[in-house]
Structure formats: structure tokens, C-alpha cells
Amino acid sequence: MHKREAVRLDRVTKLFQRSGRASNAKNSNPGKRKRRELRALGNVDVTIGAGEIFGLVGPNGCGKSTLVRVLATLLIPDAGTASVFGHDVVSEERTVQRLINRVSVEAAFFKKLSTAENLRFAARLYALDPGEAGDRANTILKSLGFPMSRIDDSMQDLSRGMQQKVAIARGLLTEPIVMLLDEPTTGLDPKSKRDVQAFIRRIKDGHDATVLLSTHDMDEADRLCDRVAIMRNGKIIAQGTPAQLKAMCSGDGEVSLEDVFIELTGRKIEDEDEEE
Ligand SMILES: Nc1ncnc2c1ncn2[C@@H]1O[C@H](COP(=O)(O)OP(=O)(O)OP(=O)(O)O)[C@@H](O)[C@H]1O
Ligand SMILES: [Mg+2]
């Protein structure tokens, strides 16, 4: 089945300058000086078909959020190109912003305002009909198991998981056709996690949206994603359907995606810190 391409990254590299003082200046040898540059993404290629749920997994600091932020037009790649439905994230930033929405664990809200007020503010920002947007937000919040009796409480008084559900509802107000979900289920209780997972499936099935999902839950990636990319040190070291990835690891009995993760990300790679 040939599907339209929703997201494409072509040899995307993102470097960060490392701040902080160089340690042990006396011993610093100019020839062996520590690089002050950090390669958060190195020549990353990804293609996601329209309507796919594409998983991004990998150890802390491997570059998942950086990749998501490049697609969300929040970071400009140092090399390579990234596009959403053929629109370049740098030269056609505004068009891309209309197609995507990002939900991340560190969502920003007006903490002193209530959930209802924050959602109304977002609706106004997106120029949505306030009545319709309100109904839509309420429907999403309910399906995520948000306690509706708390909708007028200050955001700062809500638990982390409750705030995360508000972030998801806000991300879906505009019915974006590409959802960038950066760890949407991290820190949620098991029931809430299932509610969010069911919701992600519904976004895909009901709205034919494309979903990029970063997660530390291998079981979630296995059950939810059509394809999964495993990252390590700013590079994609393996990608495929969960079944293809599991077939890469030999083992007695059943191999889980977690086994594959441990095997692939735990391997010593000779040229790991080498420049290309
Ligand atoms: N603004 C920044 N300035 C400097 N370094 C950064 C910046 N943002 C990210 N990094 C570095 O880039 C690398 C990749 O970070 P990133 O947040 O993309 O990882 P991640 O895979 O999302 O990790 P986690 O699983 O912990 O969320 C890390 O080494 C991080 O310290
Ligand atoms: Mg991250």
C-alpha cells in the first residue's frame, strides 16, 4: 500500500553549544580538547506516511525531543531538511505550524488561570469559535478521564497528570493533521495511560491524522505504533515495524521490544563519539 508522505527528515543535524566552564584547564591539551559542541541529531533520516503512528524511542538525551522540536519549527536544523506534507519547516514555517501541533510533558500554561481559562485562551489564539472549541475541549477532557469538577481550579493546583491531560486537550483543539506527541503518557497512572493511548488510536482512526509519538514505554510503542525508530546518541540505529525490530534480536522464547531496546542501545559502538 502506497501512502502519502506526511513527515520527512533528510540528513538532519542539530548541534548545541555546550555551556559551562571547561574543567581542569591546566591539563587541557589543545589537541585533545573536549568538544564544546554537542551533536543532538546527526544526519537523521525519517519518513512517516500519512495516517501512520510512528514511535520514537531511545535513552534519555538521545535526541527525541530535539527531533520533535525541529518538526514543530521550534529549532532550526544546522544541516539537512525537514518537511511536513512537502512544506519546509524553515522556509514555510507558518504553513507547517498550521498542520502540526505538539504536546510535550513540559507544557506551558498560565498557572494561576484555570483549565477552562487556559483552553479559552488557546481557542482565541487559534481563532476558533469559542462555543465549539469549548464543547470540543470538554469532550476530549472527559474521554481522558479529567475530573470535570476541577475545570475551574487554578492549573497550579492540579496534579501533573491532570495538567498533562489539559495539554493533550489543548493540542487537539485545532484538529491538527500531524500530532507531535512527546512522551504524552509519561507519569500517568495506568488507567489514565490507557485513556490517552485509546485516544491516540482514535486520532489516527477517526481523523486520519499522522502521529509521531515519543515514549519510554516499550509496550506502548509495540501496541500502538505502526513503525518504531530506536535512537541513540542523535542517530537512528534501527527502525521498522515492531515485528521487524523484534525479529532483529535472537533469543530463546518470545522477544519483546524492550529486549530489542536493551540489546541495541546497550551495545558498545566503536565510532560512537567520532566526528563524521
Ligand atoms: N537547548 C539546549 N541546549 C544545549 N543542549 C541541549 C538543548 N536541548 C537539548 N540539548 C541536549 O541535546 C541532547 C538531546 O536532548 P533531547 O532533549 O532531545 O533528548 P531526549 O531523547 O528527548 O531525552 P529524554 O528521554 O530525557 O526526554 C541532550 O544531550 C541534551 O542535553
Ligand atoms: Mg525528551
Side-chain angles (χ1 to χ4, degrees):
M1 185 172 51
H2 184 75
K3 281 202 161 172
R4 242 182 109 196
E5 201 173 275
V7 169
R8 185 187 186 98
L9 278 87
D10 252 320
R11 297 184 72 74
V12 169
T13 293
K14 180 68 202 173
L15 307 170
F16 287 117
Q17 296 303 316
R18 292 168 62 189
S19 49
R21 286 185 306 158
S23 62
N24 214 354
K26 233 196 285 175
N27 291 343
S28 76
N29 164 349
K32 278 188 104 182
R33 222 173 25 177
K34 235 184 172 178
R35 271 201 307 280
R36 307 298 298 158
E37 238 167 30
L38 188 147
R39 190 182 290 251
L41 296 175
N43 289 324
V44 170
D45 289 324
V46 171
T47 313
I48 307 176
E52 243 190 323
I53 301 185
F54 189 88
L56 209 50
V57 305
N60 294 128
C62 70
K64 302 179 296 299
S65 296
T66 303
L67 193 159
V68 168
R69 292 166 66 85
V70 165
L71 283 171
T73 75
L74 297 167
L75 290 173
I76 294 175
D78 291 287
T81 56
S83 59
V84 176
F85 284 104
H87 301 284
D88 186 84
V89 296
V90 181
S91 62
E92 297 174 83
E93 177 189 14
R94 296 307 298 265
T95 309
V96 171
Q97 285 165 359
R98 277 194 287 273
L99 298 172
I100 57 120
N101 219 328
R102 181 183 73 114
V103 176
S104 81
V105 248
E106 71 272 8
F109 287 105
F110 297 102
K111 295 276 179 191
K112 290 204 188 321
L113 299 186
S114 70
T115 295
E117 287 165 329
N118 270 283
L119 290 172
R120 270 202 295 276
F121 179 84
R124 212 176 312 146
L125 205 64
Y126 295 132
L128 304 173
D129 176 81
E132 271 173 39
D135 289 347
R136 187 172 162 73
N138 286 350
T139 308
I140 301 171
L141 286 175
K142 277 181 203 151
S143 72
L144 293 175
F146 180 88
M148 297 307 282
S149 60
R150 307 286 302 271
I151 198 160
D152 292 315
D153 290 12
S154 283
M155 291 283 303
Q156 64 192 3
D157 297 340
L158 301 179
S159 77
R160 195 169 51 126
M162 290 176 199
Q163 294 189 28
Q164 207 160 316
K165 290 174 185 179
V166 180
I168 293 171
R170 183 175 61 181
L172 291 163
L173 278 179
T174 53
E175 299 198 46
I177 62 169
V178 175
M179 280 301 288
L180 306 172
L181 302 175
D182 196 358
E183 295 191 39
T185 61
T186 295
L188 296 184
D189 68 70
K191 169 70 170 72
S192 299
K193 206 168 193 179
R194 281 199 190 177
D195 290 339
V196 171
Q197 290 167 347
F199 202 79
I200 295 171
R201 220 177 260 126
R202 247 181 294 150
I203 302 173
K204 175 199 156 131
D205 296 339
H207 308 282
D208 204 27
T210 306
V211 180
L212 175 59
L213 168 76
S214 90
T215 181
H216 286 298
D217 182 334
M218 295 307 119
D219 196 42
E220 170 175 296
D222 192 355
R223 282 182 293 115
L224 224 49
C225 298
D226 300 303
R227 284 188 304 138
V228 174
I230 302 181
M231 289 185 76
R232 173 179 171 167
N233 265 359
K235 291 195 156 62
I236 290 178
I237 55 169
Q239 63 177 311
T241 63
Q244 286 168 339
L245 290 173
K246 286 187 264 186
M248 290 173 63
C249 284
S250 55
D252 306 328
E254 213 180 315
V255 174
S256 69
L257 205 54
E258 186 168 293
D259 295 331
V260 181
F261 181 96
I262 304 274
E263 158 111 24
L264 294 184
T265 60
R267 241 178 230 166
K268 177 97 186 88
I269 296 176
E270 295 300 332
D271 65 348
E272 188 140 81
D273 287 319
E274 294 296 311
E275 291 283 354
E276 302 249 318

